[in-house]
Amino acid sequence: MANVSRKSRGRAWELRQRSMQLWPSWIEKLSTQENPLSISTPLIQLARSKEEANAMKELAIERNILGIEFLPPRSTNWLQDWLPTPYLGGLISHNDGRINPLSLQKCLYSALLKRNVKIINQSVISLKRCSSNIDKQWVLKLQDGKTISQDYIVICAAMGSNLLLNPLGHDCAIEPVLGQAIKVQLNIYNNDFSKWPAVLINQGINMIPDGDKQMIIGATLEPGTKPNIDSLTKMKGLNGEQPEWLKRSTIIDQWYGIRCRPIQQPAPVHEQLEQGLILASGHYRNGILLAPVSAEWVGNQIK
């Protein structure tokens, strides 16, 4: 099992590396004047213990080709004005960061229209194999009762995947993980974010400056599909280490979403289940990051 686990982790890192290589070309092809795209970098993850710092040092050596390096403790001293808890350095990824998801969606939609891709705003309620060799391989039944026949079906329906796969005798081992996030207004005057990275990860919590005196904080990791107020409170309190400026902040927006996590395997799930039946789902918390490599993999199955 250990060898399998290492192999799986290796594949996950290969997918991540390939996706990071593809993202610049995606930005160039998708960006428009109305919705210019860019990736704000870098991403920094803080170390809270010697063990965590040592693990980060090893990872930085192993993944240096991805633009990852270890930050010594002195390089995080600027954080003491924001997060007084002592840190033992951290990990910086110069190529990781943040992209505006709404602008990305608009650009993707525009690219589909330019390529004359037909967009059908209907839910799929069933998927069946065709009974005749003359027909297409697969038949989709839509919510309005209409059907569509195709040779290739790509399922990327997150937690809805098994609703289509189970009747065909397939099963995708996935589970829901809920994540809550908030945007806060900082009621302070010395809000100098000039030294902040695009994303700062502290105790597994993402802290993202977002506009004037505003910050996005998220996300919780909650099993199931129902949000828990205690988890939200604990996150905003940074697990009991909430600084004064955050105590005085005001929540101006909050939301939650359901992430689809593969069980006993790294995300995502890439499988060709049958001829023409392709599963690309379970991206968990890296749906945007892995979108290019996932699309590339699907394209290779259809060629």
Side-chain angles (χ1 to χ4, degrees), residues 7-80:
K7 183 178 180 180
S8 297
R9 288 197 298 268
R11 175 182 175 273
W13 273 104
E14 288 175 4
L15 291 177
R16 183 186 179 92
Q17 180 179 359
R18 177 56 181 161
S19 214
M20 291 172 69
Q21 292 171 346
L22 290 172
W23 258 116
S25 63
W26 268 46
I27 295 290
E28 181 180 356
K29 292 177 182 178
L30 292 174
S31 187
T32 65
Q33 288 186 344
E34 298 79 11
N35 291 288
L37 294 178
S38 62
I39 299 177
S40 301
T41 58
L43 177 149
I44 292 178
Q45 182 175 353
L46 299 174
R48 295 290 304 275
S49 66
K50 290 183 179 180
E51 292 77 14
E52 195 172 12
N54 289 334
M56 287 182 175
K57 290 178 182 178
E58 294 180 4
L59 186 61
I61 295 173
E62 182 181 354
R63 305 301 177 185
N64 181 259
I65 192 174
L66 296 179
I68 296 174
E69 63 177 304
F70 180 74
L71 293 175
R74 65 180 181 276
S75 62
T76 58
N77 288 342
W78 62 271
L79 267 173
Q80 291 181 358

Side-chain angles (χ1 to χ4, degrees), residues 261-282:
R261 180 170 65 185
I263 299 174
Q264 294 184 340
Q265 64 174 309
V269 179
H270 285 167
E271 291 185 44
Q272 179 153 302
L273 302 172
E274 297 182 31
Q275 178 62 39
L277 181 59
I278 299 168
L279 176 63
S281 191

Side-chain angles (χ1 to χ4, degrees), residues 128-140 148-150:
K128 296 182 179 180
R129 303 178 184 89
C130 285
S131 57
S132 171
N133 293 331
I134 300 176
D135 298 328
K136 300 283 187 178
Q137 293 191 82
W138 302 97
V139 177
L140 291 170
I148 300 175
S149 298
Q150 294 292 325

Side-chain angles (χ1 to χ4, degrees), residues 18 23 39 44-45 89 108 124 149 160 165 173 185 201-202 212 234 239 246 249 266 271 278:
R18 177 56 181 161
W23 258 116
I39 299 177
I44 292 178
Q45 182 175 353
L108 286 169
V124 177
S149 298
L165 293 176
Q185 183 75 41
I201 303 178
N202 174 35
D212 185 34
K234 185 177 180 181
N239 298 321
L246 190 51
S249 67
E271 291 185 44
I278 299 168

Side-chain angles (χ1 to χ4, degrees), residues 195-232:
K195 292 184 178 180
W196 275 70
V199 180
L200 181 72
I201 303 178
N202 174 35
Q203 304 181 65
I205 300 171
N206 296 326
M207 306 179 72
I208 306 169
D210 187 64
D212 185 34
K213 293 185 179 181
Q214 294 181 0
M215 180 177 290
I216 295 173
I217 302 174
T220 61
L221 296 175
E222 306 172 41
T225 58
K226 295 183 179 180
N228 185 297
I229 186 63
D230 291 337
S231 297
L232 184 66

Side-chain angles (χ1 to χ4, degrees), residues 84-104:
T85 302
Y87 293 95
L88 299 176
L91 204 63
I92 183 170
S93 178
H94 294 284
N95 298 322
D96 268 308
R98 180 191 181 215
I99 191 169
N100 187 308
L102 297 180
S103 294
L104 177 60

